[in-house]
Amino acid sequence: MDILRKVQQYRTTKNALKWEGTFSEYLDLLKEKPYLAQSAHSRIYQMIKEQGVTDVNGVRQYSFFSEELFGLEEALEKLVEEYFHPAAKRLDVKKRILLLMGPVSGGKSTLVTLLKRGLEQYTLTDKGAVYAIKNCPMHENPLHLIPEHLRGDFEEEYGIKIEGSLSPLNRLRLEEEYDGKIEDVLVERIFFSEDRRVGIGTFSPSDPKSQDIADLTGSIDFSTIAEYGSESDPRAYRFDGELNKANRGLMEFQEMLKCDEKFLWHLLSLTQEGNFKAGRFALISADEMIVAHTNESEYRSFIANKKNEALHSRMIVMPIPYNLKLDQEERIYKKMIEESDIKDAHIAPHTLKIAAMFTVLTRLRESKQSNVSLLKKLYLYNDQDVEGFSDQDVSALKKEFADEGMTGIDPRYVINRISSTIIRKEMQSINALDVLRSLKDGLDDHPSITKEQKEDYLDFISATRKEYDELAKKEVQKAFVYSYEESAKTLMNNYLDNVEAFCNKTKLEDPLTGEEMHPDEKLMRSIEEQIGISENAKKAFREEILIRISAYARKGKKFEYQSHERLREAIQKKLFADLKDVVKITTSTKTPDEQQLKKMNEVVATLVEEYEYTTQSANDLLRYVGSLLNR
């Protein structure tokens, strides 16, 4: 019953938004709210902007897209700032078709769906409200009623520029129903809906032999010819094509470049002049954003055909590449799994990250810089610190290949392989090794992978496996530290005491005997060597640590072992190195003694409680790491 109450509440709210009045009353509304007369492009831009914009590392990120599209921040910024924003200002890009070009499953359709669903919701708000001549099949802008010779006066009074002419049907209705009195014409508020074909149209190509141009522009209603006497009478015409119904909003051309040429001719005048030809009428005005999507190979074929030059010049092409950020790719998989029937299966930690690592590697291109491996590039693109590289280096890498991300493995393939692994084996839990194995097995069945690509992809699976091996060892070693934080703090404090004595050229006091001791060089070097600090660089590193401690003290902050990134890494690696033999013996013993068994159970409990493993996946991880350490 709760859902029914919500439905009733929604219906009541929507009914309260309905408005109907005369054109004269509509003009009173415009005096108060001039934004009600905004163009289709402006409405879409305002819809995106009002959701919120943040600046992250110099890239604008739009909340409108943030829950559905991941890792495409730079492409989306370009789309909004180079197309929607200037189009909203009535600049020339408004007269262009927006063509989203990118690989399969890259987010093009999701982006368009977001715009369509967003418009449906936005027209329910005050800022996104749309008003149209009542009972007009094209939801025509009421301002078209203003005669051409008075539009300059109107713009001077209201500050609103009118574009477009009154449609043949409404011109006839004005004379016959309202006796030419525009002030009496009824106006109503409309709400966009793709399902009800209000303000949102979708055209999908089919067999050119059977598809009719009427799908776009409407057609004659032959049953009314006898009543109205002529095919040129607008009342004998059905203004129900997709271009008609999308007026005031958005028109989507799915796989546009697969369309027959004659279907695209109508877009020439629609984009440039804001009108199109239908039946035996004068040009019909339409205010709508046209968005299409295609893949790169079809686009290349299209522009190679000289016949398409006129249409090509009326396009703004926006590349929508695959995501190249590891963390964002993982988010894509989590979202797809959450929306599927396999969401209840347990997926061990790091499984999706490892799958994402393989996928992103297939999309990257080898840098011309010899010191940049694909793995380094992957981490740099993921905003992770890589020694020897700065933000400027990352920017330079991104500019190296304009088409990076336009090829590679798509997310659907990965999710399909994960799904088949779970379903085929009826597994309640899968881990990274299961997925890597499944990804490898599926390469033979992938229709678009060449022999050369397969060899590269197998290398990427091997490289990803090595990354997982290191990650798995660290996970287990960390879990083996019963009191990890305390151990780290103790080791750090010991190290800092010795560093302070070394830098100040003083001695330490033995806590048991009270005797003076020289700084423990062996201890300090055993930690520093974990992160490659050379003998020559040790003094500078130790002084840097003391400076950081002093800076924290001045600010009244406590210095922790995590306060210095490289020191944190060194402490962790030192702890792990000391524990390696313990882990190796405990996980590899076939008949562990009571003490070893207790330790194993503690580690499993830690993995379950702290790291989101199940008992089964934790035991699988321990056995695997044991085998790695025994090699």
Side-chain angles (χ1 to χ4, degrees), residues 228-267:
Y228 298 118
S230 171
E231 292 183 11
S232 60
D233 190 309
R235 292 168 299 183
Y237 196 86
R238 292 196 297 262
F239 293 88
D240 61 356
E242 295 301 326
L243 292 179
N244 307 102
K245 294 299 181 180
N247 187 34
R248 313 296 300 285
L250 182 148
M251 169 70 188
E252 177 191 9
F253 262 86
Q254 295 179 347
E255 300 298 336
M256 176 182 173
L257 303 187
K258 287 190 174 78
C259 289
D260 188 63
E261 284 181 9
K262 65 181 180 180
F263 286 94
L264 303 180
W265 292 338
H266 286 272
L267 303 182

Side-chain angles (χ1 to χ4, degrees), residues 470-484:
E470 291 304 311
L471 198 155
K473 284 189 280 189
K474 285 182 180 179
E475 191 98 309
V476 170
Q477 288 166 341
K478 190 187 291 186
F480 257 87
V481 182
Y482 181 71
S483 180
Y484 179 72

